[in-house]
Amino acid sequence: MIIVRNKRDLRRERQKQSGKVVFVPTMGALHAGHQALMECARREAGSEGLVIVSIFVNPTQFDRAEDLENYPSTFKQDLAVCEAAGVDLVFAPLADEIYEGDSSVVVTESMLSTTLCGARRPGHFDGVCTVVLKLYNLTHPDVMVFGKKDFQQVAVIQRMVRDLDLPVEILPVETVREENGLALSSRNTRLSSEAYAEAPSIYATLQQCARELQGGAMEPAEILGRFEEVFQELQTETRIDYVELVDAETMQPLTEFGSKDAILAVAVFFDDIRLIDHITVQTP
Ligand code: PAF
C-alpha cells in the first residue's frame, strides 16, 4: 500500500493507472463501516484496478470549532484498516495542501441541502461538495463510494455529479450497525459508557415509528413527541436537533405519509455528541 501526502505524488501515482479506479473519501477514525466501503471498493475495482482512500479531516465542513478540534485522529490504526481491506493507495494530505490560503471558490447545492443537517449546520454541505469535487479532480475515479448512513450527503453529492456532469458513478453502501442497532460512527468513541449503552434507543425508536407510520397507527405530527418520550426516560442528557419525515427524493418535509417513500431522519445530542441516523419508510 502506498501512502502519499501531497497532490503532486497523488497525481503521479494516479497517472500510472490505466484500469478502473475506485475512490473512498474519508475523514479517518476508520471503523467497520468504513471497512465495508473499502471492501466494496476493492470488489468494484477488481484485482487489476486501483482503490484509493483519502484520509482528510476537512475543516470547511465543520460548523462548530470544538467539533473539528475533538474529531478523533487514529492515523496508525486507520492505515491498518486500509491495508486489511486491500486498499492500494492512501492520500493523507495536510489542510494547507488541499486549500490555498486565499481560496475563494465554493460549490453550493441549493435544494437538497436546505433541510435536515443542511439547515442546522450552516455551510456544512458547501464544505462537503467543495472538498469532494476537489478530491474527485485529484483522483479522477470511475467510481466513488459513500456510506448510506449520511443519506443527505449521498443525495447532495449525486445531485452535484448530475448537475456538473461529472463522469463518475456514485456507489452508496449500506450502514453498518452494532448488533443492538446503533449505527457505527467515528463519534461513538466519544460517548460516555452510559450514553453508548443508551444510544441504541435512537434506531429502536426509528424502527418503531416506521412500523406505526406504515400501519397507519401514527401520524407524522406525532413523531417528535414519541422521540421526546423515549429520550426523557434515559439517564444521558439528550437534546433533539431534529426529527423529520422527508420525501426520499427531494429531502423536503412531509406532513402526510402514504403516497411516497419517505425517510425518517434524526439528529440528537447525547451529552454533547451529535449522532445522526435514519430509516426508510416505504409506502404500504
Ligand atoms: O463522509 C465523510 O466522511 C466526509 O463528509 C467526506 C465525504 C469524506 C468529505 O470530507
Side-chain angles (χ1 to χ4, degrees):
M1 188 172 76
I2 300 166
I3 300 159
V4 298
R5 308 292 303 210
N6 61 56
K7 295 179 189 178
R8 197 196 52 232
D9 291 349
L10 176 61
R11 287 206 178 94
R12 202 190 47 235
E13 290 301 327
R14 172 64 185 88
Q15 273 162 10
K16 290 182 192 164
Q17 178 70 24
S18 54
K20 191 167 186 178
V21 176
V22 184
F23 173 49
V24 187
T26 82
M27 297 207 297
L30 303 179
H31 50 66
H34 295 106
Q35 198 178 325
L37 305 185
M38 294 174 201
E39 286 167 358
C40 174
R42 182 71 274 164
R43 284 193 298 277
E44 197 59 28
S47 54
E48 300 297 306
L50 183 76
V51 175
I52 306 178
V53 169
S54 62
I55 297 179
F56 176 60
V57 182
N58 173 35
T60 65
Q61 69 188 76
F62 286 83
D63 55 314
R64 301 190 312 147
E66 73 265 31
D67 214 11
L68 174 59
E69 276 155 30
N70 294 328
Y71 201 82
S73 168
T74 55
F75 190 59
K76 263 195 174 165
Q77 291 103 292
D78 290 352
L79 292 181
V81 175
C82 293
E83 184 92 61
V87 170
D88 301 302
L89 176 62
V90 174
F91 176 49
L94 297 173
D96 57 5
E97 175 68 21
I98 291 294
Y99 293 107
E100 299 296 331
D102 61 349
S103 68
S104 52
V105 176
V106 169
V107 182
T108 299
E109 192 287 328
S110 57
M111 210 271 273
L112 306 176
S113 59
T114 57
T115 57
L116 306 170
C117 288
R120 272 76 180 186
R121 303 184 64 190
H124 170 68
F125 284 115
D126 286 359
V128 170
C129 285
T130 305
V131 81
V132 170
L133 183 60
K134 284 167 75 67
L135 292 168
Y136 166 80
N137 284 330
L138 292 167
T139 53
H140 280 288
D142 300 288
V143 180
M144 285 201 282
V145 182
F146 292 90
K148 283 192 191 174
K149 173 166 178 287
D150 297 310
F151 74 98
Q152 190 179 19
Q153 169 170 281
V154 174
V156 167
I157 288 168
Q158 279 171 327
R159 179 59 61 95
M160 173 175 79
V161 164
R162 187 197 77 177
D163 287 0
L164 299 184
D165 298 310
L166 303 183
V168 65
E169 180 194 337
I170 300 299
L171 185 57
V173 172
E174 278 313 324
T175 305
V176 178
R177 298 182 180 278
E178 307 266 13
E179 260 177 45
N180 59 22
L182 178 64
L184 296 196
S185 162
S186 307
R187 291 164 191 243
N188 292 355
T189 56
R190 292 170 54 205
L191 294 169
S192 67
S193 49
E194 187 176 76
Y196 182 72
E198 293 187 325
S201 59
I202 300 171
Y203 190 58
T205 312
L206 283 170
Q207 286 179 303
Q208 198 184 27
C209 290
R211 272 195 301 274
E212 292 187 27
L213 284 164
Q214 279 170 324
M218 179 186 255
E219 290 298 320
E222 295 171 291
I223 298 169
L224 175 61
R226 174 65 59 81
F227 273 86
E228 284 172 343
E229 270 168 36
V230 171
F231 291 153
Q232 259 163 28
E233 295 301 311
L234 304 181
Q235 300 301 309
T236 310
E237 209 170 293
T238 59
R239 181 166 63 80
I240 296 173
D241 200 15
Y242 64 75
V243 183
E244 275 181 39
L245 188 71
V246 295
D247 181 306
E249 278 171 27
T250 65
M251 305 285 132
Q252 299 309 305
L254 291 172
T255 49
E256 286 176 5
F257 173 70
S259 58
K260 283 173 141 194
D261 285 352
I263 293 178
L264 177 56
V266 58
V268 54
F269 287 91
F270 266 54
D271 296 325
D272 56 347
I273 314 298
R274 187 175 183 274
L275 301 176
I276 59 168
D277 204 350
H278 71 280
I279 194 165
T280 301
V281 195
Q282 272 154 352
T283 49

